[in-house]
């Protein structure tokens, strides 16, 4: 199991931790991403830009997870993305509203 946990900090920090776990570099990640897309490798500067950014497309984040051999959603959750095919949490929207600790009774009633 990778040491990167979805709540371990920022997306960039999590990617760096995973690369360290694998003993790999940003250049390696760029090469791996190129392989996944059947194209030439992405450069280290491109990978560095991805790591530094806080807004990436969901598709790119999911591809980075694949390249790093992480389960779908492992990193994307840090940016608020849910992977394609993910199973939604059990319950209804009303159940989620009722369970939200940040809402008071009035807020819950208005949303329901």
């Amino acid at each position: 199991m990778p040491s990167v946990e979805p709540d371990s900090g920022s997306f960039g920090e999590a990617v760096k931790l995973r690369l360290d776990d694998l003993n790999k570099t940003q250049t390696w990640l760029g090469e791996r991403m190129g392989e996944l897309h059947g194209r030439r490798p992405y450069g280290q500067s491109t990978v560095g830009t991805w790591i530094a950014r806080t807004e990436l497309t969901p598709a790119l984040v999911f591809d980075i997870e694949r390249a790093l051999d992480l389960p779908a959603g492992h990193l994307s959750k840090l940016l608020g993305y849910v992977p394609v095919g993910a199973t939604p949490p059990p319950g209804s929207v009303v159940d989620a509203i009722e369970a939200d600790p940040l809402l008071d009774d009035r807020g819950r009633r208005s949303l329901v």
Side-chain angles (χ1 to χ4, degrees):
M1 179 71 173
S3 67
V4 177
E5 292 301 321
D7 61 353
S8 66
S10 76
F11 173 80
E13 291 170 3
V15 171
K16 289 176 188 177
L17 282 172
R18 181 61 177 157
L19 286 171
D20 286 347
D21 285 350
L22 296 171
N23 198 27
K24 301 293 183 183
T25 64
Q26 291 180 11
T27 300
W28 173 86
L29 179 55
E31 291 169 355
R32 180 85 172 105
M33 291 287 289
E35 291 170 10
L36 289 175
H37 290 273
R39 63 177 300 265
R40 63 185 180 85
Y42 293 89
Q44 183 277 327
S45 62
T46 300
V47 174
T49 300
W50 295 338
I51 291 172
R53 294 187 61 193
T54 57
E55 293 185 29
L56 299 168
T57 65
L60 178 59
V61 176
F62 302 146
D63 285 346
I64 292 170
E65 289 172 335
R66 280 184 35 217
L68 293 173
D69 295 320
L70 291 169
H74 202 78
L75 296 173
S76 55
K77 291 176 186 178
L78 291 169
L79 299 173
Y81 303 145
V82 177
V84 174
T87 305
S92 67
V93 172
V94 173
D95 292 337
I97 292 169
E98 294 294 337
D100 190 333
L102 299 176
L103 293 172
D104 59 15
D105 287 337
R106 183 177 176 202
R108 285 185 186 96
R109 282 193 307 270
S110 68
L111 288 172
V112 172

